[in-house]
Amino acid sequence: MEPEPLYNLLQLPGKVDPPAVEELSQGEKKKFLPPTSRKDAKFEELQRVLMEWINAELLPEHIVVRSLEEDMFDGLILHHLFQKLAGLKLDVEEIALTAANQRRKLTVVLEAANQSLQVEEQQAQWSVETIFNKDLLATLHLLVALAEHFQPDLPLPANVQVEVITMESTKSGLKSEKLVERLTGCGTDKDQPSKDVFDELFKLAPEKVNAVKEAIVNFVNQKLDRLGLSVQNLDTQFADGVILLLLIGQLRGFFLHLKEFYLTPSSPAEMLHNVTLALELLKDEGLLNYAVSPEDIVNKDAKSTLRVLYCLFCKHKLEENTDGMPQGPPS
């Protein structure tokens, strides 16, 4: 999606315009996020954690979310996410193309979510209207509630609160007020933020981890097919760094001279050289989102290997799906 231009102080590039204040009817209130709140470090961290959680949950379905503000409004991803979390099948069309059908789909999904969360519609901090209008605060409130209900161990950043501006239309004119809105509660475990979505993923049922691995292995094999290579075991075949380097070359257009790495490493030191080179290439390209030790890859640590391959998978899918919509299997 092309970013919208900067229209006013309440608007940032890539964000949807807030409703014009002239549209407020008497007695109506609307909340807006000022730029300073959008740039708050903990606010951005909450979005990152939620996005990685959603992408990990929906990875087997080849769905990638780039923006919680832009990609959640039509109910498509919320539909997939809620069905996965709740283990339910909703009676709603898979693809809704018109605005009316999207609203109808979103209504069904939110009704089911509210029922699972045991939240009355009047008490919820989200609604069909706010989610459909890409209200980031409402979307975050919904996703936090889903995460806390279905995956309470997810390490959400604690005590996230942002300043919001409330505009109200009164008889005497428009009245504005600054308020602080809380998105997450106070944490008790100071060490919890050091965990990430993969720490939590490996606590889940083995078949769920295997489903994620299978999706990534399929992706890798599609990319390595032109080289006549294939991967059967994600945990062990990346330990010497060779396949990882070749995969990076295929995805990013690198050509590595044989003198730069060991094509048939015969010692742990040569394997470590290969893996270190691969991680440096990923860092230089801005693709490595996690702190990964090359020693862990050489030692066949499945979680570390999955982190690296997940970064490659997501980057490639984002480049393919420039409209942010879920597509078929990676080509």
Side-chain angles (χ1 to χ4, degrees), residues 143-162:
L143 294 175
V144 167
L146 290 172
E148 291 178 342
H149 180 76
F150 289 104
Q151 195 170 346
D153 291 335
L154 186 70
L156 296 175
N159 198 29
V160 178
Q161 51 188 5
V162 291

Side-chain angles (χ1 to χ4, degrees), residues 190-205:
K190 297 298 183 182
D191 296 326
Q192 189 73 352
S194 64
K195 297 181 179 180
D196 63 29
V197 68
F198 288 98
D199 292 310
E200 302 305 323
L201 180 63
F202 274 72
K203 292 181 181 179
L204 302 177

Side-chain angles (χ1 to χ4, degrees), residues 82-322:
F82 178 74
Q83 287 194 150
K84 185 78 177 292
L85 295 174
L88 299 175
K89 181 70 174 177
L90 299 182
D91 185 17
V92 63
E93 57 191 318
E94 181 67 23
I95 302 295
L97 298 179
T98 67
N101 288 341
Q102 289 170 349
R103 281 178 179 272
R104 188 159 46 248
K105 179 186 180 78
L106 183 61
T107 299
V108 173
V109 175
L110 290 187
E111 285 178 352
N114 289 345
Q115 185 175 355
S116 290
L117 296 172
Q118 297 183 334
V119 174
E120 295 292 334
E121 183 178 350
Q122 297 79 4
Q123 299 172 330
Q125 293 177 286
W126 56 84
S127 65
V128 172
E129 192 67 22
T130 54
I131 300 294
F132 191 75
N133 286 328
K134 303 181 183 180
D135 184 311
L136 181 56
L137 282 175
T139 302
L140 289 175
H141 278 302
L142 171 60
L143 294 175
V144 167
L146 290 172
E148 291 178 342
H149 180 76
F150 289 104
Q151 195 170 346
D153 291 335
L154 186 70
L156 296 175
N159 198 29
V160 178
Q161 51 188 5
V162 291
E163 186 178 82
V164 299
I165 298 174
T166 300
M167 302 292 294
E168 181 180 8
S169 177
T170 66
K171 291 182 179 180
S172 57
L174 290 172
K175 182 177 71 173
S176 66
E177 183 180 11
K178 290 184 177 180
L179 301 172
V180 174
E181 185 153 341
R182 182 180 295 275
L183 289 158
T184 65
C186 297
T188 56
D189 185 355
K190 297 298 183 182
D191 296 326
Q192 189 73 352
S194 64
K195 297 181 179 180
D196 63 29
V197 68
F198 288 98
D199 292 310
E200 302 305 323
L201 180 63
F202 274 72
K203 292 181 181 179
L204 302 177
E207 61 269 20
K208 190 166 188 177
V209 177
N210 289 337
V212 173
K213 288 181 179 180
E214 182 180 352
I216 290 184
V217 166
N218 289 338
F219 162 73
V220 168
N221 284 336
Q222 288 174 8
K223 302 308 169 185
L224 294 178
D225 180 68
R226 68 196 70 176
L227 298 179
L229 299 173
S230 66
V231 171
Q232 285 76 43
N233 192 322
L234 180 147
D235 295 348
T236 62
Q237 287 185 260
F238 289 90
D240 64 7
V242 175
I243 292 181
L244 182 57
L245 284 168
L246 295 175
L247 176 64
I248 294 172
Q250 288 294 299
L251 293 176
R252 309 305 299 165
F254 288 127
F255 176 77
L256 295 176
H257 291 286
L258 292 179
K259 64 180 181 180
E260 295 182 13
F261 71 103
Y262 298 95
L263 187 60
T264 56
S266 57
S267 69
E270 293 179 353
M271 295 166 65
L272 186 61
H273 170 88
N274 286 353
V275 174
T276 301
L277 175 61
L279 295 184
E280 287 175 352
L281 289 173
L282 292 177
K283 289 177 183 177
D284 290 343
E285 288 285 292
L287 299 180
L288 195 58
N289 302 327
Y290 303 96
V292 177
S293 168
E295 288 82 2
D296 289 340
I297 303 292
V298 173
N299 291 329
K300 303 176 183 178
D301 180 79
K303 195 186 300 182
S304 296
T305 304
L306 191 59
R307 282 188 176 102
V308 173
L309 295 174
Y310 176 77
C311 291
L312 277 170
F313 173 88
C314 282
K315 176 65 176 178
H316 188 74
K317 287 298 293 179
L318 292 185
E319 291 178 345
E320 283 189 338
N321 304 341
T322 54

Side-chain angles (χ1 to χ4, degrees), residues 51-52 54-68 70-72 76-77 80 219 310-328 330:
M51 198 152 23
E52 289 180 353
I54 294 170
N55 285 337
E57 290 287 342
L58 299 181
L59 180 59
E61 300 177 51
H62 305 292
I63 291 176
V64 176
V65 176
R66 304 190 292 177
S67 165
L68 297 180
E70 296 290 340
D71 295 346
M72 310 299 292
L76 179 66
I77 292 172
H80 284 266
F219 162 73
Y310 176 77
C311 291
L312 277 170
F313 173 88
C314 282
K315 176 65 176 178
H316 188 74
K317 287 298 293 179
L318 292 185
E319 291 178 345
E320 283 189 338
N321 304 341
T322 54
D323 60 356
M325 294 292 290
Q327 304 288 335

